[in-house]
Amino acid sequence: MRIGVMGTGLMAERALEGFAAAGIDCVALLHRPGSQSRATELASRFGVGAIDVDQDRFLARSDLDAVYVALVNVAHAAAARAVLLAGKHALVEKPFTSTVAEAVEVAALAKERGLMVWEAIMPRYAPTLPEVKESVAELGDLRFAYANYSQRSSRYDRFLAGETPPVFDPALSGGALYDINVYNVHLVTLLLGQPDAVTYRATRLRGIDTSGVLSLEYPAATAVCVGAKDSQSPPGLLIQGTRGYLRMESLPHEVSGITVVTDRSRTIVAAPVEHPMVPELTACAAMFESGDFTRCYADLDASVAVMGLLETARLQAGIRFGADTPCLLYTSPSPRDG
């Protein structure tokens, strides 16, 4: 799979590191007019054959099979549409889109044109995930799950000082839920399935959630997902049932360092990889090479479902994005910004 990258920011750099580690050829890099020097530096460092500032010319390249969308959150949907309309496959940085309507549209366009679209969400492709799923099935009737990913942002002090970095900008679809808690939501729904209901209690400042607690309600269990950009604590996952429990001490995208306590207690540790994105990039490349649209579209449908949960949660908490349309805006009284 020959891939190109849209963007020159931190996620683009991490993606380029992942491609290099996974042995995937990155042939071109699209940059903004003011980012040529950064694009040149990245291309030189990672052996990218070309840089371009013109999106149409970039997408028309005959040596491009797929494009990694590493742009600011609000631009994900429009970029994915452009990639698909150009006849290329798309790998979109998380969160997949800003709204569920955008997610539905992108998924429909991909299926209509017979193209692949993946959300770059690492827990989905963790090599340990099948064993973890089997372990959860051994826990009996599930009662409770708790997932925490809290990492104080290096940009939080700037935000407190009055600046609005993209990660804290509602106009750009930022916030803790979409930036960091999204990993927890994907992991929990991968293991427990889609919930019956969702609620979100957020710490809000200037219209955006700097941290929050998301509750997912199941018929006989509740899952709590904690995500914070304004504070920090050790990450982890705990799932308990009537026959035992599972505890994970790694970051949610690593799916490692797991202890299973049942009648056959054991540990699950992921094999070391050169870069954390290698498993997902390798999985997506394998789907492309084999033409496995069934797996790709199942993953795509799961991304759409998660976007529905995220949108419901944030609108319920009174968090409105620039990408929202009037008909989607949550109209109930919202909590005052703190």
Side-chain angles (χ1 to χ4, degrees), residues 3 34 38 79 85-86 98 104 106 110 119 129 149 173 201 230 240 254 262 265 273 278 281 311-312 320 328 330:
I3 202 160
R38 166 71 169 168
L85 290 172
S98 297
V104 169
V106 169
E119 180 180 11
L129 188 64
Y149 189 7
S173 308
R201 183 183 178 91
D230 57 11
Q240 64 189 58
E254 294 173 353
T262 61
S265 299
V273 292
V278 166
L281 295 176
E311 180 175 286
T312 298
R320 302 180 177 184
L328 289 177
Y330 183 72

Side-chain angles (χ1 to χ4, degrees), residues 113-136:
R113 292 183 169 254
L115 293 167
M116 293 185 173
V117 174
W118 307 270
E119 180 180 11
I121 190 75
M122 288 182 277
R124 177 178 290 158
Y125 304 108
T128 54
L129 188 64
E131 185 178 357
V132 175
K133 285 184 174 180
E134 292 177 3
S135 300
V136 170

Side-chain angles (χ1 to χ4, degrees), residues 158-245:
R158 289 170 47 197
F159 180 64
L160 291 178
E163 297 182 35
T164 308
V167 72
F168 293 115
D169 191 345
L172 301 180
S173 308
L177 180 62
Y178 275 51
D179 183 69
I180 200 165
N181 214 351
V182 60
Y183 286 110
N184 291 325
V185 178
H186 271 285
L187 181 57
V188 168
T189 54
L190 280 166
L191 297 176
L192 274 66
Q194 290 296 307
D196 296 328
V198 56
T199 58
Y200 187 48
R201 183 183 178 91
T203 302
R204 291 193 351 175
L205 181 62
R206 304 210 312 265
I208 200 67
D209 55 326
T210 60
S211 59
V213 179
L214 180 73
S215 295
L216 305 176
E217 299 297 333
Y218 293 87
T222 298
V224 176
C225 299
V226 177
K229 301 289 289 181
D230 57 11
S231 53
Q232 191 144 338
S233 63
L237 170 71
L238 174 66
I239 303 177
Q240 64 189 58
T242 55
R243 295 181 181 174
Y245 68 87

Side-chain angles (χ1 to χ4, degrees), residues 8 29 31-43 51 53:
T8 57
L29 182 64
H31 65 89
R32 295 181 301 171
S35 301
Q36 182 168 348
S37 61
R38 166 71 169 168
T40 300
E41 186 273 326
L42 288 174
I51 64 172
V53 71

Side-chain angles (χ1 to χ4, degrees), residues 258-326:
I258 297 164
T259 300
V260 182
V261 178
T262 61
D263 55 359
R264 64 182 196 100
S265 299
R266 60 199 181 279
T267 59
I268 302 172
V269 179
V273 292
E274 185 177 345
H275 190 277
M277 291 180 69
V278 166
E280 69 173 338
L281 295 176
T282 301
C284 293
M287 279 182 256
F288 166 77
E289 297 294 345
S290 65
D292 188 357
F293 282 87
T294 300
R295 168 70 193 276
C296 176
Y297 288 165
D299 291 344
L300 182 56
D301 290 342
S303 287
V304 173
V306 168
M307 286 310 308
L309 297 178
L310 297 180
E311 180 175 286
T312 298
R314 69 171 175 83
L315 294 180
Q316 182 187 89
I319 300 164
R320 302 180 177 184
F321 285 167
D324 290 327
T325 58

Side-chain angles (χ1 to χ4, degrees), residues 47-62:
V48 180
I51 64 172
D52 208 324
V53 71
D54 185 278
Q55 178 173 294
D56 291 339
R57 186 169 57 214
F58 168 81
L59 291 176
R61 294 181 64 97
S62 60

